[in-house]
Amino acid sequence: CQQLFCLPSVPSSVTRPVLKQGEPSDRDIPVKAKRQRRVVGTPGQEMSLELVVWLEPSTSAQHEEIENLLVEDDQELIGDFSKAHLLPMVEGKDAGLKYISPGTLVAVLTGHFSSCIESSIVVDCRYPYEYEGGHVKGSVNLPLEQDVEEFLLEQPIMPLDASKRVILIFHCEFSVERGPRMCRFLRQKDRSCHQYPRLYYPELYVLKGGYREFFLQYPSHCEPRDYRPMEHVAFKEELRKFRGQSR
């Protein structure tokens, strides 16, 4: 049996603890924690020994370990680890999210990925007055968490063709706060509905630069062809109201 204590220069008077028959070996339990203990040896002499305490990993720790291993193996797997992400991605602010460029969104909207995508939902997380002032054609306005739960989770959008995908693309004005936050919220709620790692929506993206950048590059794909900022002077009251509802 493998020894659990490292005792540099331990005198013969100190008994070395050993594993009893039936106790776990290194191959039985993958998680261990270390703790230091002071042991008295010969008179006037003290030594430190390293005590290894074996711990059963919690369910959440096991999930995290599986996810970490899979991420190390392939950085591009979707949320249920069944396949790689379809869309080309760009670097974004939040390393835990997957970002796409405005050009990639246009490619999705114009059918360049139609052989692989059955349904693509662009989720506009801006407030209604911003959406009404100009939005990506075909996008849905879901500014509140309850809107996301009602639209996406009460009756989940599932592909009829198992070989095709349903993808969601989130954005707000700049895709810095509201869009990424709502993307993380959906993933959290989706996880709670299933046994890990199953998901309704394993493939989520965030539009880098948000609606502002998309409108500047591709105004023809917006309706109306305009851009109303969140802090528009004519909508101060609406901004105050929706900020209060979002908290």
Side-chain angles (χ1 to χ4, degrees):
C1 295
Q2 192 173 6
Q3 291 179 352
L4 292 185
F5 292 81
C6 288
L7 300 178
S9 305
V10 177
S12 58
S13 61
V14 179
T15 303
R16 294 175 181 267
V18 296
L19 280 174
K20 296 180 181 179
Q21 186 175 1
E23 290 184 352
S25 67
D26 283 348
R27 293 169 297 188
D28 296 325
I29 303 176
V31 180
K32 59 183 180 179
K34 295 182 179 179
R35 188 171 57 192
Q36 294 293 323
R37 179 177 295 174
R38 304 296 295 180
V39 177
V40 178
T42 57
Q45 179 184 9
E46 286 189 348
M47 297 154 295
S48 66
L49 55 85
E50 189 177 73
L51 173 61
V52 180
V53 182
W54 294 91
L55 304 173
E56 280 287 354
S58 65
T59 302
S60 60
Q62 290 173 332
H63 289 173
E64 184 177 356
E65 182 179 2
I66 292 170
E67 195 161 9
N68 289 340
L69 288 172
L70 289 166
V71 167
E72 289 173 6
D73 182 61
D74 189 341
Q75 292 286 342
E76 308 309 324
L77 292 178
I78 62 177
D80 62 2
F81 311 122
S82 62
K83 58 180 72 73
H85 283 83
L86 175 66
L87 303 183
M89 292 170 287
V90 296
E91 186 178 352
K93 180 181 179 181
D94 189 329
L97 301 176
K98 305 301 182 183
Y99 291 79
I100 63 170
S101 68
T104 297
L105 176 53
V106 169
V108 172
L109 297 175
T110 53
H112 282 68
F113 296 93
S114 59
S115 62
C116 300
I117 297 176
E118 182 172 291
S119 179
S120 58
I121 302 113
V122 180
V123 181
D124 189 329
C125 303
R126 296 176 300 156
Y127 302 137
Y129 67 89
E130 298 173 82
Y131 180 83
E132 292 163 3
H135 56 265
V136 178
K137 288 181 180 179
S139 63
V140 293
N141 187 211
L142 306 177
L144 303 175
E145 291 180 352
Q146 66 186 48
D147 298 328
V148 168
E149 289 191 82
E150 291 172 4
F151 187 86
L152 295 173
L153 294 177
E154 287 189 0
Q155 292 186 323
I157 303 166
M158 308 299 291
L160 300 176
D161 184 344
S163 67
K164 292 192 174 184
R165 311 178 187 219
V166 172
I167 67 168
L168 274 61
I169 302 166
F170 290 79
H171 77 83
C172 53
E173 184 174 5
F174 305 106
S175 286
V176 171
E177 183 179 347
R178 292 174 288 174
R181 183 177 69 238
M182 202 68 78
C183 183
R184 290 190 296 270
F185 170 78
L186 176 64
R187 174 55 55 81
Q188 177 188 10
K189 286 293 182 180
D190 199 352
R191 284 275 187 230
S192 69
C193 296
H194 296 93
Q195 183 176 352
Y196 187 88
R198 288 190 63 245
L199 291 164
Y200 289 128
Y201 305 105
E203 196 157 1
L204 308 179
Y205 299 95
V206 174
L207 174 64
K208 186 173 183 179
Y211 180 74
R212 180 181 183 278
E213 188 62 31
F214 185 85
F215 173 75
L216 291 176
Q217 295 187 32
Y218 302 99
S220 63
H221 287 277
C222 303
E223 58 179 11
R225 194 178 293 192
D226 202 356
Y227 160 45
R228 181 177 292 164
M230 181 183 73
E231 296 187 348
H232 194 290
V233 293
F235 296 90
K236 288 183 178 180
E237 184 60 28
E238 286 86 346
L239 173 60
R240 186 192 63 79
K241 180 183 73 173
F242 280 103
R243 271 185 169 166
Q245 291 178 334
S246 299
R247 290 170 183 166

